[in-house]
Amino acid sequence: MPGDAFDELFDRDRLLGGLPAKRAGTVLFLIESRTARLVARSRQAMQRLVGREAAQRRELAYVEAFALGREPPRRPTVQDLERHAEEWAPLVARNPRVQAALARRMGERYRLARREVPGIRAALGLDDPQVAAAHLALYDQPLDSVYATRTTPRERLRWASARTATRVEGLSPFWTAYALTLTETVGSTIVALPIAVAAVGPLPAVGILVVLGLVNVLTVALMADALTRTRTMRFGDAYVGRVVTDLLGRTGAVVLTVGLVAICLLGMEADYIGVSSTLTSAFGVHELVWVVLMFAVELWYLRRGSIDATVTSALVVGAINILLILVLSGLAFAHLDPGNLSHVELPFVDGGGSDVTSLGLVFGVTFTAYFGHLSVSNCARVVLARDASGGSLLRGVVAAQLTAIVLYVVFVLAVTGAVSPGALADEAGTALAPLSDEAGTAVLALGGILVVLGMGMASIHSGLALFYLVQERLPARGPRVLILPRRGARILLESRGRGDRTRAVLTYVGLDRGSARFRIDVPPGRGTPGRGVEGTASGRWEPFARAPLEDLGAAGAELALTVLSATEHEARIELTSGMRLAYEGEWDTAGVGLTGVLESSEDEATTLAWIMRRPDAGIDEVAAHAEIDAAAAEARLDGLVGRGLLAERPRGNERRFAARAGWRRGGRLSPAVWDALKDGEEEPAPASPRLADGRAGAAGAWLRRVLSSDRGRVAAGVAPVVVVFAGAVWQSLAGEVSLAGVLSVLGVIVVALLAGVFPVLLNAAARNGGELLGWGYRVPAQRWVLVLVYVFSVGAVALHGAVLWDDLPRRVAAFAVVVLALVMTASMRRRGAFARRATIELRHDEDRGIASFRVLDAGRPASAGVVLDYADGRRVDARGTEGEIADFAGLRRATFTPAWNPDRRPAQLRVWAHRVTDEDESEPLAARLQRGDGAAPGAGRVAVDEDGVATVPVDGDGDVVTVVLAG
């Protein structure tokens, strides 16, 4: 073995050993940045209505902090570092001096309790005698000096909380789905149920609760089944809006967004009423005081930007709420009056009964109480990553809804049995005040905690959701400073106009005679071909202001970047654009740079450094240099190729390898996408003409300038919350709106649409065109079942508009929702949302080292002929619905010939070629797709989207599709 692999390039000992403190500072900064991003993502798990752009902006904030060399937006705690130790451990070089220096820096920055940090100890190698010896040599102190000798009570509490979080999030997939769905469904809305059912009586109310509960069990199952079948939820951003867009189109996404906004607005109004009325009953302070206090708390969270709702915190809060509900039920049962339970007052029964409008209150509040469908999307990404079949998800959400039925029935029987119907019917707030008159002040104490935890937190969640929704519609803020590794990451830009769908991709190419060179790729538009242009930016570069992209600038697209610094491996730029920005790829590594060396083992770094000094090298040459056999050399080279540090360049029948400086296989875009950007089919609509009036144009420019400022963005985001606050102030002064009345309107107008109609439409679209298998066909989703649920949901809204509601505004709103549901469904059907589609999936699981194919037709396995061509000339023929692919590294072409059922031929065929990374993310394979057998180069090439999916129409009994892998 050579003595120093890096002599001739740079001194590895000096890099990793001679300056350990400086290297440790760099690595610690990378560790903190990566951990901060992981923590930020986990705290978004239970947030409502956070779209892709809001998440992308948070991601950009961390990238920008890294580029500027400053602290991340939120510094991680030592508990965060311990919890995510496995994720940042690859950043630590296996060099005792650097490990010792890193332990020293971490011990100075954080209080490390030896027994509490097994993950950090393993990641840093602190139990290694060589690291201990290196620390003693460097600092003349034993390694144990990095540990805190004592822990404070506050620290012990934090470590206990961290252990609890680890155990909770380590629940099985079934219990995770069950707990998240149950705690999100059963909340403080339950305190309005006894008031809603008081007019009809307890026993009829129980019947309504059971029937509507079973309907919700079915719709939740339909939604879980639909999410299981979509690649977007399994590997995408886990936002239900993206799933709806992919399955039902833009119309469905718009209706969903409007519905979620309505839920937030009406839900916040109900939360203000519930919290203020309960606390007023408990403390005797006017409702206006509590409304103002709630508004102040919400403003604080809006300014902070997050409520830090992790899966653990959601489960803990939900568990406390359920426990409080059970205790309150026990207190109520202790004062049960059997005469109250026998009360029945139904319309049209025995020639009398209550007013028919009382049924509207019952159905509306019950719809709202059972609405936990958004929690299915929140937990689906977590559960499906651990059980891709969807069985745990489906069983968990169904069990949670059945449990909710039991809890609601128990609570309603307890409260209506303890409190007289008249006392409940006259209550405008919650059922806690009249229950406290019967069961004592303990009800208000416990109920106050329930309402504050449930409705108070829900109000903050809704306010943040509205805040982010407005933020997504605003112009981008001032310039951002970002790092672009050379071809290792890229910036995606998309126009904000509703009609204009201009998109572009910015990549750093490298240095050209000392100046940074960038590339802009723009897909084809209506009447314009796809274009790719490169430019050198020694200072400021505005590609949309000059040929050949000047038409984009004339249409309003804006992009300007200023190069702050650039090397062969990366460029640090200041980017200004009014378009939406997304950063794709790894930003804390830069190809064969410092971090790439630090991540490599000693043997890999030896080989890498030796190859970097040569044009290329073969397996035998590497084996001779490293003094190992050819098989071990090939395995080492394949590992470096797999991490993007080497590129394979075959020469004849020999495999040759060369250093790939600056390339990192961490992004989602592959070379196939660059081809697709030139051959894509999507056409943007013409841009809207600019205002001709000078004053109007000046006013618009001023408004954009104000809304792009930090203060203007905050003010616009807070505006919806201010509107709700104004309504709550009016309610507290006038007292003309009841909690049950608001929840009834919410349940009929919005929840019946989102929890009844949407699950049916999503399931129909996913079963006909989903890319993944569901959990068998255990969900009853026959056409007659879907039609029955659809008719029931739409019919319930129509019934309220025609019979159960007697005021004009609510009747108009109900009929408007009915028309919207019917028109929306017809539009989706006309646009092919429910058309039969087939999918061919070519998949490489990097973690397991397994490659496979699968063919689906309308969600069911379908047979296809498969021909696999390898680099060494081998050809393998196979047939089946799925199978493993041997020697994926040598595969060069996969040709699929599906055999369609002539009676039920699909309308479209999707080909999905992707890899699943070690982090369980999906990335497109470096491949191009062709219609036909691929014999003629470039013939029949089809466009591929950013996820590696190509869609082609089916026009024959068999469609031959070839996936040509990059060699």
Side-chain angles (χ1 to χ4, degrees):
M1 178 71 67
D4 184 4
F6 281 75
D7 55 3
E8 303 183 27
L9 181 64
F10 49 82
D11 188 350
R12 178 176 174 82
D13 182 67
R14 180 178 302 168
L15 173 65
L16 296 181
L19 298 173
K22 187 173 182 180
R23 298 285 74 79
T26 301
V27 177
L28 181 57
F29 178 79
L30 293 175
I31 289 172
E32 290 179 334
S33 297
R34 176 171 289 186
T35 304
R37 292 174 66 211
L38 293 171
V39 172
R41 289 180 178 180
S42 69
R43 287 172 174 168
Q44 297 174 15
M46 304 308 297
Q47 291 186 3
R48 303 176 184 175
L49 203 60
V50 179
R52 299 181 68 194
E53 187 176 357
Q56 289 165 354
R57 284 180 174 174
R58 292 186 179 184
E59 188 86 352
L60 284 174
Y62 285 91
V63 179
E64 186 174 23
F66 177 80
L68 294 172
R70 67 190 185 197
E71 293 280 347
R74 180 164 297 176
R75 177 181 166 185
T77 65
V78 65
Q79 289 80 16
D80 296 330
L81 294 176
E82 169 63 21
R83 184 178 176 187
H84 297 284
E86 290 187 3
E87 285 89 345
W88 56 257
L91 295 174
V92 181
R94 297 297 110 181
N95 179 282
R97 291 168 63 85
V98 173
Q99 289 169 270
L102 184 55
R104 181 79 175 185
R105 291 294 296 271
M106 194 172 288
E108 293 172 347
R109 196 168 175 85
Y110 302 95
R111 290 179 56 83
L112 304 178
R114 182 184 179 89
R115 292 190 305 174
E116 304 289 357
V117 292
I120 293 177
R121 283 165 36 209
L124 300 183
L126 300 188
D127 297 330
D128 187 346
Q130 294 184 359
V131 177
H135 188 278
L136 184 62
L138 284 171
Y139 304 105
D140 198 25
Q141 290 182 353
L143 183 59
D144 286 345
S145 63
V146 304
Y147 299 117
T149 56
R150 297 178 58 188
T151 55
T152 65
R154 183 178 181 184
E155 288 173 336
R156 288 194 292 271
L157 181 61
R158 287 182 173 178
W159 283 116
S161 176
R163 288 193 297 270
T164 301
T166 301
R167 285 194 293 266
V168 168
E169 297 187 13
L171 292 173
S172 68
F174 167 80
W175 286 111
T176 299
Y178 174 84
L180 284 176
T181 305
L182 180 62
T183 54
E184 283 291 295
T185 302
V186 179
S188 53
T189 307
I190 197 173
V191 296
L193 268 178
I195 298 174
V197 304
V200 298
L203 297 183
V206 168
I208 295 173
L209 285 172
V210 172
V211 171
L212 294 185
L214 293 177
V215 172
N216 275 274
V217 168
L218 180 57
T219 56
V220 164
L222 292 176
M223 191 163 185
D225 184 50
L227 297 178
T228 301
R229 298 172 183 273
T230 61
R231 61 182 169 85
T232 304
M233 182 56 67
R234 174 66 181 86
F235 295 111
D237 299 313
Y239 299 118
V240 67
R242 174 78 185 275
V243 177
V244 171
T245 301
D246 289 348
L247 291 178
L248 303 180
R250 184 174 178 82
T251 301
V254 171
V255 174
L256 175 70
T257 301
V258 173
L260 293 177
V261 169
I263 284 179
C264 290
L265 292 173
L266 292 174
M268 286 182 69
E269 188 70 29
D271 295 333
Y272 272 106
I273 296 173
V275 173
S276 60
S277 62
T278 301
L279 295 182
T280 295
S281 300
F283 297 99
V285 181
H286 195 276
E287 293 182 6
L288 182 61
V289 175
W290 303 114
V291 168
V292 173
L293 182 59
M294 281 186 64
F295 180 64
V297 172
E298 286 182 354
L299 288 182
W300 186 83
Y301 275 105
L302 291 179
R303 186 170 179 235
R304 190 167 180 256
S306 173
I307 197 174
D308 294 344
T310 63
V311 172
T312 301
S313 65
L315 291 181
V316 170
V317 171
I320 293 174
N321 287 340
I322 292 174
L323 179 61
L324 290 172
I325 290 171
L326 293 176
V327 173
L328 290 171
S329 300
L331 293 175
F333 274 126
H335 298 79
L336 185 68
D337 182 356
N340 292 334
L341 291 178
S342 62
H343 172 73
V344 176
E345 195 172 349
L346 288 173
F348 315 118
V349 176
D350 295 332
S354 65
D355 190 342
V356 70
T357 57
S358 61
L359 289 177
L361 198 64
V362 177
F363 280 102
V365 176
T366 304
F367 279 148
T368 304
Y370 279 121
F371 183 57
H373 297 65
L374 289 182
S375 64
V376 180
S377 64
N378 284 337
C379 67
R381 179 70 168 94
V382 178
V383 174
L384 291 176
R386 299 163 61 189
D387 179 11
S389 71
S392 298
L393 176 66
L394 189 59
R395 292 193 303 267
V397 299
V398 167
Q401 285 288 327
L402 291 174
T403 305
I405 296 175
V406 175
L407 286 173
Y408 288 157
V409 169
V410 169
F411 186 78
V412 166
L413 287 176
V415 177
T416 55
V419 183
S420 65
L424 287 173
D426 294 336
E427 180 60 42
T430 69
L432 298 174
L435 180 60
S436 67
D437 295 335
E438 301 292 335
T441 57
V443 170
L444 287 179
L446 298 174
I449 298 174
L450 171 66
V451 169
V452 170
L453 282 179
M455 292 187 170
M457 298 293 285
S459 179
I460 296 172
H461 277 297
S462 298
L464 285 168
L466 293 172
F467 181 83
Y468 288 128
L469 187 68
V470 173
Q471 293 275 302
E472 288 196 0
R473 270 65 182 172
L474 296 179
R477 69 168 180 83
R480 291 186 177 273
V481 177
L482 306 172
I483 283 182
L484 271 181
R486 179 173 177 259
R487 299 188 186 276
R490 66 284 300 163
I491 295 175
L492 276 62
L493 304 102
E494 185 176 3
S495 59
R496 297 173 176 274
R498 182 169 297 179
D500 182 13
R501 300 186 63 186
T502 301
R503 291 181 295 176
V505 182
L506 173 67
T507 310
Y508 175 52
V509 177
L511 290 179
D512 182 6
R513 299 178 182 179
S515 298
R517 192 168 185 83
F518 298 87
R519 179 175 179 84
I520 289 282
D521 287 277
V522 180
R526 182 172 299 170
T528 60
R531 291 160 288 175
V533 58
E534 291 190 7
T536 301
S538 55
R540 185 178 177 86
W541 187 44
E542 300 183 64
F544 294 163
R546 62 192 67 175
L549 304 178
E550 70 276 8
D551 58 312
L552 300 181
E558 175 191 3
L559 174 63
L561 62 89
T562 301
V563 179
L564 303 179
S565 63
T567 67
E568 182 62 31
H569 300 303
E570 65 185 25
R572 193 162 65 99
I573 62 174
E574 184 181 79
L575 188 71
T576 304
S577 178
M579 306 175 75
R580 291 191 177 94
L581 303 179
Y583 194 96
E584 295 283 0
E586 293 290 335
W587 54 269
D588 55 3
T589 55
V592 189
L594 171 63
T595 308
V597 175
L598 293 178
E599 289 180 345
S600 303
S601 66
E602 186 75 27
D603 292 338
E604 289 176 330
T606 298
T607 302
L608 176 61
W610 184 75
I611 293 178
M612 287 178 67
R613 301 194 297 271
R614 288 159 176 77
D616 57 17
I619 296 175
D620 293 337
E621 295 170 346
V622 172
H625 174 265
E627 300 178 0
I628 56 178
D629 58 42
E634 185 175 16
R636 184 181 300 176
L637 292 168
D638 287 339
L640 293 171
V641 170
R643 298 210 306 274
L645 300 175
L646 289 182
E648 184 176 350
R649 296 176 179 174
R651 184 186 302 165
N653 294 327
E654 182 184 8
R655 299 180 68 189
R656 307 289 295 181
F657 301 86
R660 178 181 280 174
W663 173 256
R664 179 72 177 176
R665 284 169 58 186
R668 294 195 173 202
L669 296 183
S670 68
V673 180
W674 302 109
D675 294 335
L677 287 172
K678 299 170 185 172
D679 300 326
E681 300 174 353
E682 190 170 9
E683 299 181 353
S688 301
R690 294 187 171 183
L691 293 174
D693 186 86
R695 288 174 298 179
W702 173 84
L703 182 60
R704 284 193 300 271
R705 194 163 54 247
V706 169
L707 293 179
S708 62
S709 66
D710 289 339
R711 290 185 178 180
R713 297 175 66 83
V714 171
V718 171
V721 181
V722 174
V723 172
V724 175
F725 168 67
V729 170
W730 172 81
Q731 157 61 20
S732 65
L733 296 176
E736 297 181 2
V737 181
S738 70
L739 173 62
V742 175
L743 293 177
S744 175
V745 173
L746 175 61
V748 174
I749 299 299
V750 184
V751 174
L753 180 66
L754 299 187
V757 173
F758 262 92
V760 170
L761 300 180
L762 285 172
N763 193 270
R767 290 207 165 209
N768 283 324
E771 300 91 351
L772 299 171
L773 279 174
W775 189 50
Y777 272 73
R778 296 170 175 84
V779 178
Q782 293 86 351
R783 182 174 298 181
W784 69 269
V785 174
L786 296 180
V787 170
L788 186 63
V789 175
Y790 184 95
V791 171
F792 176 84
S793 302
V794 176
V797 181
L799 180 65
H800 279 75
V803 178
L804 301 184
W805 283 345
D806 56 2
D807 58 298
L808 183 61
R810 289 193 297 176
R811 284 188 164 185
V812 171
F815 286 123
V817 169
V818 172
V819 172
L820 174 63
L822 297 176
V823 171
M824 174 185 69
T825 305
S827 174
M828 292 173 183
R829 183 179 180 84
R830 186 174 63 253
R831 294 174 181 269
F834 311 114
R836 191 183 185 94
R837 287 189 290 269
T839 300
I840 296 175
E841 179 188 9
L842 179 62
R843 170 172 172 167
H844 179 212
D845 286 278
E846 290 185 340
D847 187 29
R848 299 186 299 162
I850 297 175
S852 60
F853 71 88
R854 175 180 287 165
V855 184
L856 298 179
D857 182 6
R860 294 177 179 269
S863 180
V866 185
V867 178
L868 307 176
D869 293 302
Y870 290 87
D872 58 6
R874 287 180 295 138
R875 169 170 284 202
V876 177
D877 293 335
R879 173 170 289 277
T881 61
E882 60 181 331
E884 289 191 9
I885 299 175
D887 187 20
F888 185 75
L891 183 66
R892 291 297 173 263
R893 180 180 287 110
T895 302
F896 298 89
T897 307
W900 308 127
N901 185 334
D903 298 328
R904 295 184 299 172
R905 185 181 301 159
Q908 288 182 331
L909 170 64
R910 287 176 177 168
V911 183
W912 181 21
H914 69 121
R915 72 168 58 87
V916 181
T917 67
D918 296 341
E919 292 80 21
D920 200 43
E921 297 287 342
S922 174
E923 299 175 354
L925 288 172
R928 66 178 187 272
L929 304 179
Q930 293 177 332
R931 194 78 178 270
D933 58 8
R941 180 175 296 182
V942 295
V944 184
D945 67 17
E946 65 181 29
D947 295 321
V949 178
T951 304
V952 296
V954 173
D955 51 14
D957 294 334
D959 288 84
V960 180
V961 178
T962 301
V963 181
V964 182
L965 301 173

Short mmCIF file of all heavy atoms in Angstrom, two decimals, residues 532-559:
data_model
loop_
_atom_site.label_atom_id
_atom_site.label_comp_id
_atom_site.label_asym_id
_atom_site.label_seq_id
_atom_site.Cartn_x
_atom_site.Cartn_y
_atom_site.Cartn_z
N GLY A 532 -32.09 25.76 -24.51
CA GLY A 532 -31.10 25.71 -23.47
C GLY A 532 -29.98 26.67 -23.82
O GLY A 532 -29.46 26.64 -24.94
N VAL A 533 -29.64 27.53 -22.92
CA VAL A 533 -28.63 28.54 -23.21
C VAL A 533 -27.64 28.59 -22.06
O VAL A 533 -28.01 28.46 -20.89
CB VAL A 533 -29.27 29.93 -23.42
CG1 VAL A 533 -30.07 30.37 -22.22
CG2 VAL A 533 -28.21 30.98 -23.76
N GLU A 534 -26.36 28.72 -22.40
CA GLU A 534 -25.31 28.87 -21.41
C GLU A 534 -24.77 30.29 -21.45
O GLU A 534 -24.75 30.92 -22.51
CB GLU A 534 -24.18 27.87 -21.64
CG GLU A 534 -24.58 26.43 -21.36
CD GLU A 534 -23.39 25.48 -21.36
OE1 GLU A 534 -22.25 25.98 -21.44
OE2 GLU A 534 -23.60 24.26 -21.28
N GLY A 535 -24.34 30.75 -20.30
CA GLY A 535 -23.79 32.10 -20.22
C GLY A 535 -22.74 32.18 -19.15
O GLY A 535 -22.78 31.46 -18.16
N THR A 536 -21.78 33.08 -19.36
CA THR A 536 -20.72 33.31 -18.39
C THR A 536 -21.05 34.56 -17.60
O THR A 536 -21.38 35.60 -18.16
CB THR A 536 -19.36 33.49 -19.10
OG1 THR A 536 -19.09 32.31 -19.86
CG2 THR A 536 -18.25 33.70 -18.09
N ALA A 537 -20.97 34.44 -16.27
CA ALA A 537 -21.34 35.55 -15.41
C ALA A 537 -20.14 35.89 -14.53
O ALA A 537 -19.87 35.21 -13.55
CB ALA A 537 -22.54 35.19 -14.55
N SER A 538 -19.42 36.94 -14.93
CA SER A 538 -18.33 37.42 -14.08
C SER A 538 -18.87 38.35 -13.00
O SER A 538 -18.24 38.57 -11.98
CB SER A 538 -17.29 38.15 -14.92
OG SER A 538 -17.90 39.19 -15.66
N GLY A 539 -20.06 38.92 -13.26
CA GLY A 539 -20.72 39.78 -12.28
C GLY A 539 -22.19 39.46 -12.22
O GLY A 539 -22.59 38.44 -11.68
N ARG A 540 -23.06 40.27 -12.81
CA ARG A 540 -24.50 40.07 -12.82
C ARG A 540 -24.93 39.50 -14.16
O ARG A 540 -24.51 39.99 -15.20
CB ARG A 540 -25.21 41.42 -12.56
CG ARG A 540 -26.73 41.32 -12.42
CD ARG A 540 -27.30 42.69 -12.11
NE ARG A 540 -28.75 42.71 -12.04
CZ ARG A 540 -29.46 42.43 -10.94
NH1 ARG A 540 -28.82 42.13 -9.83
NH2 ARG A 540 -30.77 42.47 -10.95
N TRP A 541 -25.80 38.51 -14.15
CA TRP A 541 -26.26 37.86 -15.37
C TRP A 541 -27.78 37.84 -15.35
O TRP A 541 -28.41 37.39 -14.39
CB TRP A 541 -25.73 36.43 -15.44
CG TRP A 541 -26.04 35.73 -16.74
CD1 TRP A 541 -25.92 36.24 -17.99
CD2 TRP A 541 -26.51 34.40 -16.89
NE1 TRP A 541 -26.28 35.30 -18.92
CE2 TRP A 541 -26.65 34.16 -18.28
CE3 TRP A 541 -26.81 33.36 -15.98
CZ2 TRP A 541 -27.09 32.94 -18.78
CZ3 TRP A 541 -27.24 32.15 -16.48
CH2 TRP A 541 -27.39 31.95 -17.87
N GLU A 542 -28.40 38.34 -16.43
CA GLU A 542 -29.85 38.38 -16.57
C GLU A 542 -30.22 37.68 -17.87
O GLU A 542 -30.37 38.31 -18.92
CB GLU A 542 -30.36 39.83 -16.57
CG GLU A 542 -30.04 40.60 -15.30
CD GLU A 542 -30.60 42.00 -15.30
OE1 GLU A 542 -31.84 42.13 -15.33
OE2 GLU A 542 -29.81 42.95 -15.29
N PRO A 543 -30.39 36.37 -17.83
CA PRO A 543 -30.61 35.62 -19.08
C PRO A 543 -31.93 35.92 -19.77
O PRO A 543 -32.05 35.72 -20.98
CB PRO A 543 -30.55 34.16 -18.61
CG PRO A 543 -30.90 34.21 -17.16
CD PRO A 543 -30.35 35.50 -16.65
N PHE A 544 -32.96 36.39 -19.02
CA PHE A 544 -34.25 36.66 -19.63
C PHE A 544 -34.30 38.04 -20.28
O PHE A 544 -35.34 38.43 -20.81
CB PHE A 544 -35.37 36.55 -18.60
CG PHE A 544 -35.56 35.16 -18.07
CD1 PHE A 544 -36.27 34.93 -16.90
CD2 PHE A 544 -35.03 34.05 -18.72
CE1 PHE A 544 -36.44 33.66 -16.39
CE2 PHE A 544 -35.19 32.77 -18.23
CZ PHE A 544 -35.90 32.57 -17.06
N ALA A 545 -33.22 38.77 -20.21
CA ALA A 545 -33.20 40.12 -20.79
C ALA A 545 -32.52 40.16 -22.15
O ALA A 545 -32.42 41.22 -22.75
CB ALA A 545 -32.51 41.08 -19.83
N ARG A 546 -32.05 39.02 -22.63
CA ARG A 546 -31.34 39.00 -23.90
C ARG A 546 -31.66 37.72 -24.65
O ARG A 546 -32.23 36.77 -24.08
CB ARG A 546 -29.83 39.12 -23.66
CG ARG A 546 -29.25 37.95 -22.84
CD ARG A 546 -27.85 38.23 -22.37
NE ARG A 546 -27.83 39.31 -21.41
CZ ARG A 546 -26.75 39.70 -20.77
NH1 ARG A 546 -25.60 39.11 -21.01
NH2 ARG A 546 -26.81 40.68 -19.89
N ALA A 547 -31.30 37.71 -25.94
CA ALA A 547 -31.56 36.54 -26.78
C ALA A 547 -30.79 35.34 -26.23
O ALA A 547 -29.70 35.49 -25.68
CB ALA A 547 -31.13 36.85 -28.21
N PRO A 548 -31.38 34.13 -26.39
CA PRO A 548 -32.63 33.81 -27.08
C PRO A 548 -33.84 33.73 -26.15
O PRO A 548 -34.87 33.19 -26.54
CB PRO A 548 -32.32 32.44 -27.66
CG PRO A 548 -31.45 31.79 -26.62
CD PRO A 548 -30.62 32.89 -26.04
N LEU A 549 -33.73 34.25 -24.93
CA LEU A 549 -34.82 34.13 -23.96
C LEU A 549 -35.48 35.47 -23.67
O LEU A 549 -36.16 35.62 -22.66
CB LEU A 549 -34.30 33.53 -22.65
CG LEU A 549 -33.59 32.18 -22.75
CD1 LEU A 549 -33.09 31.73 -21.38
CD2 LEU A 549 -34.51 31.12 -23.34
N GLU A 550 -35.29 36.43 -24.56
CA GLU A 550 -35.83 37.76 -24.28
C GLU A 550 -37.35 37.78 -24.27
O GLU A 550 -37.97 38.65 -23.65
CB GLU A 550 -35.31 38.79 -25.30
CG GLU A 550 -35.87 38.64 -26.72
CD GLU A 550 -35.11 37.62 -27.53
OE1 GLU A 550 -34.25 36.92 -26.94
OE2 GLU A 550 -35.35 37.50 -28.73
N ASP A 551 -37.99 36.80 -24.95
CA ASP A 551 -39.45 36.76 -24.93
C ASP A 551 -39.99 36.46 -23.53
O ASP A 551 -41.08 36.91 -23.15
CB ASP A 551 -39.97 35.72 -25.92
CG ASP A 551 -39.42 34.33 -25.62
OD1 ASP A 551 -38.19 34.22 -25.42
OD2 ASP A 551 -40.20 33.37 -25.59
N LEU A 552 -39.22 35.72 -22.74
CA LEU A 552 -39.65 35.45 -21.37
C LEU A 552 -39.60 36.71 -20.52
O LEU A 552 -40.49 36.98 -19.72
CB LEU A 552 -38.76 34.37 -20.75
CG LEU A 552 -38.75 33.01 -21.45
CD1 LEU A 552 -37.84 32.04 -20.71
CD2 LEU A 552 -40.16 32.44 -21.54
N GLY A 553 -38.55 37.50 -20.72
CA GLY A 553 -38.47 38.77 -20.00
C GLY A 553 -39.58 39.71 -20.41
O GLY A 553 -40.15 40.42 -19.56
N ALA A 554 -39.92 39.72 -21.70
CA ALA A 554 -41.00 40.59 -22.16
C ALA A 554 -42.34 40.15 -21.59
O ALA A 554 -43.24 40.97 -21.39
CB ALA A 554 -41.06 40.58 -23.69
N ALA A 555 -42.47 38.84 -21.29
CA ALA A 555 -43.73 38.33 -20.72
C ALA A 555 -43.80 38.52 -19.21
O ALA A 555 -44.80 38.16 -18.60
CB ALA A 555 -43.88 36.86 -21.07
N GLY A 556 -42.73 39.04 -18.62
CA GLY A 556 -42.77 39.32 -17.18
C GLY A 556 -41.90 38.44 -16.34
O GLY A 556 -41.78 38.65 -15.13
N ALA A 557 -41.26 37.42 -16.93
CA ALA A 557 -40.37 36.56 -16.14
C ALA A 557 -39.12 37.33 -15.77
O ALA A 557 -38.56 38.08 -16.58
CB ALA A 557 -40.01 35.30 -16.93
N GLU A 558 -38.67 37.14 -14.54
CA GLU A 558 -37.52 37.90 -14.04
C GLU A 558 -36.52 36.95 -13.40
O GLU A 558 -36.88 36.09 -12.60
CB GLU A 558 -37.99 38.93 -13.00
CG GLU A 558 -36.85 39.70 -12.34
CD GLU A 558 -37.31 40.51 -11.15
OE1 GLU A 558 -38.52 40.44 -10.81
OE2 GLU A 558 -36.47 41.19 -10.53
N LEU A 559 -35.26 37.10 -13.79
CA LEU A 559 -34.20 36.31 -13.18
C LEU A 559 -32.88 37.07 -13.32
O LEU A 559 -32.50 37.47 -14.42
CB LEU A 559 -34.07 34.94 -13.86
CG LEU A 559 -32.89 34.08 -13.40
CD1 LEU A 559 -33.04 33.73 -11.92
CD2 LEU A 559 -32.75 32.82 -14.25
#
